[in-house]
Amino acid sequence: MSIRHNIQAPFTIILADDDEDDRLLAQDAMEAAGSSYQCHTVSDGQELLDYLRCEGNYNNNTISELPSVILLDLNMPILDGRETLRLLKLDPYLANIPVIILSTSAAEEDINEGYALGASSYMVKPNDFDSLVDMMKCFNNYWFDCVSIPHTAANDEHK
């Protein structure tokens, strides 16, 4: 495995969600919330891992940086959010990236399992756009204004 990264921008996020409408809605809400970070989207957990590791369809890519934060849906095809989170936390080069679950599920067992697998936070997707914008404002304020995000070994080549 080869991870090729070059840190340039202050903050980037990756949104992993299988629903294209949800991805577009979240990106619109981020923009409406005044987000100043770059957002890359993927449609499932395997694509997320491939993107971060520069494998599969991303084999010839060099991503500009490891993300500052990952927003991860739980219920996705191919590789769901739970298994993706488990694999992220097992990978020494990716384990320190904060992962926030962004799911429609408010079930206690999903919330508990998400934290047990290493999620940094769990957010339940609201039902309307204005609430989603408000959530993204809170997300921005907390993750990019209040906390210190770990730096990764993004400039190194890993095999």
Side-chain angles (χ1 to χ4, degrees):
M1 169 181 60
S2 179
I3 301 177
R4 298 173 302 275
H5 305 284
N6 179 19
I7 294 178
Q8 292 177 5
F11 299 113
T12 61
I13 67 167
I14 294 182
L15 171 63
D17 194 316
D18 63 312
D19 187 307
E20 183 177 4
D21 290 337
D22 282 354
R23 289 191 310 266
L24 293 172
L25 193 63
Q27 287 181 298
D28 288 346
M30 289 174 202
E31 186 175 318
S35 303
S36 60
Y37 47 79
Q38 296 175 332
C39 180
H40 179 76
T41 63
V42 294
S43 60
D44 61 65
Q46 187 59 59
E47 185 180 359
L48 172 64
L49 293 172
D50 286 350
Y51 176 81
L52 293 171
R53 295 172 175 164
C54 298
E55 295 177 343
N57 290 336
Y58 298 95
N59 188 39
N60 293 322
N61 289 11
T62 300
I63 63 175
S64 61
E65 64 182 58
L66 285 176
S68 303
V69 174
I70 295 171
L71 291 173
L72 182 65
D73 187 28
L74 285 181
N75 300 312
M76 298 181 290
I78 302 172
L79 191 60
D80 74 6
R82 293 163 190 84
E83 183 63 12
T84 302
L85 180 55
R86 187 184 72 75
L87 293 170
L88 284 167
K89 295 306 175 183
L90 288 173
D91 188 317
Y93 304 112
L94 304 174
N96 285 336
I97 302 169
V99 177
I100 292 86
I101 295 173
L102 181 61
S103 176
T104 57
S105 174
E108 186 175 342
E109 60 269 14
D110 287 336
I111 295 168
N112 290 340
E113 183 179 20
Y115 282 112
L117 289 168
S120 299
S121 190
Y122 192 108
M123 300 188 317
V124 178
K125 293 177 188 175
N127 293 326
D128 64 274
F129 183 73
D130 289 338
S131 296
L132 185 58
V133 170
D134 289 341
M135 177 182 276
M136 287 300 133
K137 286 179 183 177
C138 291
F139 170 80
N140 294 345
N141 289 338
Y142 182 74
W143 285 102
F144 301 114
D145 294 337
C146 295
V147 301
S148 296
I149 297 174
H151 293 283
T152 59
N155 289 321
D156 299 337
E157 283 283 326
H158 302 287
K159 296 188 183 215

